[in-house]
């Protein structure tokens, strides 16, 4: 493949990232607006639950109780985890294999270039690979959503998947090693790097060795060093370029990107508000 094949993925990465953050800003606006409307409705529903006869063993109430006990971050990533499980199940269907390899693995030499940059972020062929990634995402979900908020986190996560895939494309074109990549590792590295950058003194531990603890800052340095060595030495166990791309994007975003992108969303939100107000006025 010629280097010119990187033009479309680059434009897709830029366009998708802009759309993701724009959509997240509008989503936050609509969420805040609806929160005011539903406040009294929820208060009334709680009051009715108290005076209404309670059913014991109600499965729906048990599910609601479990859901309400989750943190906002855990509730936010539940949909992401469900999407990954769904795509994992699609890999188990023999009739879907050709479609999965075409659209759910990223490779600059593939027929499909742009959509796999996003879809491969939700794609895992190995159960262990998916379980490890989803465990890390679940573990860091509360911290990252507390840091960014639900809407901004979704925009960062989806953008990170596309950006890390593009970095992987560039590395494959530079080295001439063309092989399909899949997995949420690039996006999760963004989450991990963002949290570790903002909270470098936080204590972390390895899942199988909980007695061994280390600081988040040290863990981030070790991960970057490992992936840099893997990329330089041509290791093929992981997509080290995607990992590095995700980690660097996470570090950049919490240091500079938040101020450059999210803090400057006001003109878009204002335009959306004016459009909504005009449409509401026309509708009476």
């Amino acid at each position: 493949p010629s280097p010119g094949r990187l033009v479309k993925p680059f434009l897709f990465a830029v366009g998708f990232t802009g759309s993701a953050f724009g959509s997240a800003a509008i989503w936050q606006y609509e969420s805040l607006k609806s929160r005011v409307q539903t406040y009294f409705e929820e208060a009334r529903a709680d009051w009715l639950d108290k005076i209404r006869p309670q059913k014991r063993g109600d499965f729906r109430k048990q599910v609601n109780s479990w859901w309400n006990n989750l943190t906002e971050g855990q509730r936010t990533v539940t949909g992401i985890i469900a999407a990954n499980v769904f795509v994992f199940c699609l890999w188990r269907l023999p009739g879907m294999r050709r479609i999965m390899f075409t659209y759910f693995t990223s490779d600059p030499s593939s027929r499909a270039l742009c959509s796999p940059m996003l879809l491969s972020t939700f794609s895992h062929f190995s159960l262990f690979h998916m379980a490890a990634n989803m465990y890390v995402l679940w573990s860091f979900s509360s911290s990252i959503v507390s840091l960014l908020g639900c809407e901004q986190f979704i925009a960062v996560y989806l953008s990170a998947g596309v950006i890390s895939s593009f970095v992987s494309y560039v590395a494959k074109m530079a080295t001439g090693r063309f092989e399909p990549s899949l997995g949420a590792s690039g996006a999760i590295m963004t989450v991990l790097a963002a949290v570790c950058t903002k909270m470098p003194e936080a204590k972390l531990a390895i899942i199988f060795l909980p007695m061994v603890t280390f600081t988040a800052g040290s863990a981030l340095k070790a991960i970057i060093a490992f992936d840099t060595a893997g990329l330089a030495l041509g290791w093929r166990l992981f997509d080290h370029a995607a990992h590095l791309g995700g980690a660097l994007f996470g570090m950049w975003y919490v240091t500079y990107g938040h101020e450059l992108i999210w803090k400057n969303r006001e003109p878009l939100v204002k335009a959306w508000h004016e459009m909504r107000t005009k449409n509401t006025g026309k509708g009476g």
Side-chain angles (χ1 to χ4, degrees):
S2 65
R5 283 180 65 85
L6 291 175
V7 174
K8 282 181 64 178
F10 173 76
L11 295 177
F12 175 77
V14 173
F16 180 86
T17 300
S19 300
F21 280 96
S23 300
I26 293 172
W27 176 20
Q28 187 185 62
Y29 166 87
E30 294 292 341
S31 178
L32 291 172
K33 189 175 180 180
S34 64
R35 210 171 290 174
V36 176
Q37 291 179 309
T38 58
Y39 175 78
F40 290 105
E41 294 177 6
E42 291 178 354
R44 179 175 176 273
D46 291 341
W47 178 74
L48 287 174
D49 283 341
K50 291 179 181 178
I51 65 174
R52 178 183 296 150
Q54 299 294 315
K55 296 180 180 180
R56 294 191 176 184
D58 190 345
F59 177 73
R60 184 176 178 181
K61 281 189 173 294
Q62 293 177 3
V63 172
N64 288 338
S65 176
W66 169 79
W67 180 258
N68 292 330
N69 286 330
L70 297 178
T71 65
E72 184 183 6
Q74 290 170 337
R75 290 196 293 267
T76 301
V77 302
T78 298
I80 296 175
I81 294 173
N84 279 269
V85 172
F86 176 73
V87 174
F88 173 78
C89 292
L90 292 180
W91 275 106
R92 312 269 78 79
L93 303 176
M96 291 290 295
R97 285 292 174 86
R98 179 172 293 182
I99 294 175
M100 300 304 291
F101 271 110
T102 301
Y103 295 102
F104 287 83
T105 64
S106 61
D107 185 352
S109 64
S110 175
R111 177 169 58 89
L113 280 177
C114 295
S115 57
M117 294 170 68
L118 175 64
L119 296 178
S120 63
T121 306
F122 297 88
S123 180
H124 299 83
F125 186 77
S126 163
L127 178 61
F128 178 79
H129 186 199
M130 181 185 70
N133 279 341
M134 295 303 101
Y135 175 80
V136 174
L137 179 61
W138 181 268
S139 300
F140 282 85
S141 61
S142 299
S143 298
I144 191 65
V145 173
S146 296
L147 194 65
L148 302 178
C150 172
E151 299 85 1
Q152 187 181 185
F153 160 71
I154 294 295
V156 170
Y157 184 86
L158 295 178
S159 299
V162 172
I163 290 171
S164 61
S165 293
F166 177 73
V167 174
S168 174
Y169 277 11
V170 173
K172 288 174 182 176
M173 292 292 291
T175 60
R177 299 175 183 144
F178 300 104
E179 52 192 4
S181 300
L182 73 169
S185 304
I188 291 173
M189 280 297 298
T190 295
V191 173
L192 192 150
V195 173
C196 292
T197 301
K198 293 297 288 185
M199 296 181 283
E201 299 304 320
K203 293 293 183 180
L204 303 179
I206 301 174
I207 179 174
F208 300 114
L209 298 171
M211 71 293 296
V212 179
T213 61
F214 41 86
T215 65
S218 300
L220 181 59
K221 291 175 184 176
I223 290 171
I224 291 177
F226 173 76
D227 283 316
T228 301
L231 181 62
L233 299 175
W235 298 344
R236 298 193 177 187
L237 183 61
F238 304 109
D239 190 338
H240 297 285
H243 289 188
L244 277 175
L248 294 176
F249 176 65
M251 295 167 63
W252 173 84
Y253 187 80
V254 295
T255 306
Y256 305 106
H258 175 76
E259 295 287 335
L260 293 173
I261 300 175
W262 194 250
K263 289 290 184 70
N264 291 316
R265 71 191 185 280
E266 184 180 349
L268 173 64
V269 175
K270 185 177 179 180
W272 177 260
H273 172 73
E274 291 175 353
M275 185 181 70
R276 284 289 307 272
T277 304
K278 289 179 181 178
N279 290 338
T280 304
K282 290 179 181 178

